[in-house]
């Protein structure tokens, strides 16, 4: 059952990774050659991409947590390690994308400031306006992500304790 989920997650990350890579090329061009309007549009796009990455992270931790909750009693240590390796790879790709988008946003901010002479406060105000479109759910989403991440860690701790107990019992019987 989790193989389908792993495949779906991999496809999801691959699809969004391609979209992010394509967008990054556009951001680079705009950060170098763009006018005020195109830079503002690209800045808004980076805010939206950060939002979409947050949504992806929420889905990711929900699936990860759900698999551990449903499968924890049936998994042995090798299966858990395999699962964690797969999820770790996906999480690393997402983190890399998040870092790249943040860097692109910084480049676009620098271009906008050069074009307009805007202060840091003015730029932050613009970004805050873009973020306001998503803020109503942002904190709630972060809270849900944290809750699921805590659940993931709790399940992994329980499973590792069970594995440790099983190893101890196995050593005593020898």
């Amino acid at each position: 059952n989790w193989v389908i989920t792993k495949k779906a997650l991999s496809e999801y990350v691959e699809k969004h990774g391609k979209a992010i890579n394509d967008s990054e090329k556009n951001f680079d061009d705009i950060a170098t050659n763009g006018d005020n309007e195109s830079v503002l549009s690209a800045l808004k796009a980076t805010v939206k991409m950060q939002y979409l990455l947050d949504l992806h992270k929420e889905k990711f931790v929900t699936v990860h947590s759900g698999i551990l909750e449903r499968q924890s009693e049936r998994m042995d240590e090798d299966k858990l390690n395999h699962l964690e390796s797969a999820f770790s790879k996906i999480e690393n790709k997402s983190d890399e994308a998040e870092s790249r988008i943040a860097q692109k946003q910084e480049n676009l901010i620098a271009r906008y400031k050069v074009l307009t002479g805007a202060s840091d406060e003015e730029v932050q105000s613009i970004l805050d306006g873009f973020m306001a479109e998503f803020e109503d759910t942002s904190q709630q989403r972060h809270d849900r992500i944290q809750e699921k991440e805590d659940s993931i860690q709790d399940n992994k701790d329980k499973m590792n304790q069970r594995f440790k107990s099983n190893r101890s019992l196995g050593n005593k019987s020898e």
Side-chain angles (χ1 to χ4, degrees), residues 5-22:
T5 305
K6 176 184 164 191
K7 181 180 176 188
L9 278 172
S10 294
E11 289 172 357
Y12 179 84
V13 169
E14 185 177 323
K15 179 178 94 176
H16 289 282
K18 183 177 177 348
I20 289 170
N21 288 338
D22 292 347

Side-chain angles (χ1 to χ4, degrees), residues 30-172:
I30 292 168
T32 305
N33 304 315
D35 60 9
N36 295 359
E37 193 173 307
S38 62
V39 171
L40 279 176
S41 178
L43 274 172
K44 186 173 186 175
T46 64
V47 170
K48 183 175 183 180
M49 291 177 85
Q50 288 170 329
Y51 169 75
L52 293 173
L53 285 168
D54 273 355
L55 287 179
H56 164 68
K57 185 172 186 169
E58 182 178 14
K59 289 176 186 176
F60 175 82
V61 297
T62 299
V63 169
H64 190 178
S65 173
I67 289 171
L68 287 177
E69 287 172 14
R70 287 189 310 274
Q71 301 293 327
S72 65
E73 292 302 317
R74 290 178 262 185
M75 271 190 197
D76 61 23
E77 199 166 1
D78 288 338
K79 286 181 182 176
L80 175 64
N81 289 336
H82 181 74
L83 177 73
E84 290 305 308
S85 174
F87 276 107
S88 180
K89 288 176 187 173
I90 294 168
E91 188 173 21
N92 287 340
K93 283 184 179 182
S94 181
D95 290 345
E96 289 170 10
E98 208 171 312
S99 293
R100 288 192 317 266
I101 295 304
Q103 182 60 51
K104 301 303 178 190
Q105 189 176 72
E106 289 301 315
N107 294 345
L108 290 164
I109 288 170
R111 175 70 175 170
Y112 185 75
K113 288 164 85 174
V114 166
L115 290 172
T116 64
S119 68
D120 290 338
E121 293 79 19
E122 290 168 322
V123 171
Q124 189 58 52
S125 177
I126 291 167
L127 290 174
D128 289 346
F130 294 152
M131 287 185 248
E133 295 177 28
F134 309 112
E135 280 302 310
D136 60 325
T137 59
S138 181
Q139 186 58 47
Q140 294 166 346
R141 185 176 47 262
H142 286 287
D143 291 346
R144 287 190 306 269
I145 289 170
Q146 186 60 52
E147 183 179 308
K148 293 295 183 182
E149 286 176 339
D150 292 346
S151 174
I152 289 167
Q153 190 58 51
D154 289 347
N155 279 307
K156 287 180 0 186
D157 290 346
K158 288 175 188 173
M159 291 171 73
N160 283 324
Q161 185 62 38
R162 182 173 48 100
F163 299 148
K164 186 177 177 182
S165 294
N166 288 345
R167 281 194 299 273
S168 294
L169 291 174
N171 291 338
K172 289 181 183 175

Side-chain angles (χ1 to χ4, degrees), residues 23-31 42 45-46 49 101 104 108:
S23 297
E24 285 178 349
K25 291 174 187 170
N26 293 336
F27 292 153
D28 288 339
D29 184 48
I30 292 168
T46 64
M49 291 177 85
I101 295 304
K104 301 303 178 190
L108 290 164

